[in-house]
């Protein structure tokens, strides 16, 4: 019985240490709800998006690679630099989500493309090489869209230029 208690105590202590909990805040609900700290790059991209929108933002979380995120780093291919996709909405814009493509140009983060989706929720984002050229395209599926043209949209990045290649029904 003692051995089971010792094992259980070790497991519980290990779980609390590995989860970021401590004895001081173990029962503090607010500390358990804090989101993870953003990296320096993510903070810079977030600041760029907020400056571009010139407004408070409602971040729209979309499903990407087994998790929800509002700011997504997209690795599109070996010969391309990563691009960030931010999903957000200004508080006064209902049923209108901005999909912002953010890239680092001349050592500064800039919004290079603003795609407006007439929906209240972005369902998921997928990276897939649909034209077999070695560079992945960005495919976005919307929920609660107003018309079929907004259901699925696909974007291609070529030399830091974003192009919507087609709307898929």
């Amino acid at each position: 019985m003692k051995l089971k208690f010792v094992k259980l105590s070790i497991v519980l202590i290990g779980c609390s240490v590995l989860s970021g909990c401590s004895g001081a805040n173990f029962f503090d609900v607010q500390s358990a709800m804090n989101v993870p700290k953003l990296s320096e790059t993510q903070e810079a991209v977030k600041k760029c998006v907020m400056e571009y929108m010139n407004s408070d933002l409602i971040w729209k979380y979309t499903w990407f690679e087994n998790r929800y995120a509002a700011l997504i780093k997209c690795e599109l291919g070996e010969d391309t630099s990563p691009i960030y996709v931010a999903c957000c909405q200004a508080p006064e814009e209902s049923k209108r989500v901005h999909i912002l493509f953010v890239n680092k140009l001349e050592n500064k983060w800039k919004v290079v493309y603003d795609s407006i989706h007439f929906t209240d929720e972005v369902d998921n984002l997928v990276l897939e090489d649909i034209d077999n050229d070695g560079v992945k395209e960005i495919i976005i599926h919307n929920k609660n869209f107003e018309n079929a043209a907004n259901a699925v949209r696909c974007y291609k990045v070529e030399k830091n230029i974003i192009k919507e290649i087609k709307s898929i029904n």
Side-chain angles (χ1 to χ4, degrees), residues 54-95:
N54 198 24
S55 170
D56 288 333
L57 295 178
I58 300 169
W59 293 97
K60 295 295 187 173
Y61 288 81
T62 184
W63 188 252
F64 177 72
E65 294 183 349
N66 299 320
R67 64 183 175 88
Y68 283 99
L71 184 61
I72 300 166
K73 181 180 181 182
C74 298
E75 302 275 356
L76 303 175
E78 291 179 11
D79 297 334
T80 61
S81 60
I83 193 161
Y84 281 83
V85 175
C87 306
C88 60
Q89 181 180 49
E92 64 275 3
E93 297 179 324
S94 67
K95 295 265 186 195

Side-chain angles (χ1 to χ4, degrees), residues 5-37:
F5 178 74
V6 170
K7 286 181 182 178
L8 181 61
S9 296
I10 291 172
V11 169
L12 290 175
I13 290 170
C15 289
S16 68
V17 169
L18 295 175
S19 69
C21 296
S22 68
N25 68 358
F26 187 76
F27 293 105
D28 182 16
V29 174
Q30 191 61 40
S31 66
M33 293 179 5
N34 290 341
V35 296
K37 185 176 180 192

Side-chain angles (χ1 to χ4, degrees), residues 83 103 112-113 155-163:
I83 193 161
N103 204 350
V112 294
Y113 192 76
Y155 302 90
K156 184 163 192 64
V157 180
E158 290 179 341
K159 299 178 184 174
N160 294 324
I161 298 171
I162 312 296
K163 297 178 184 174

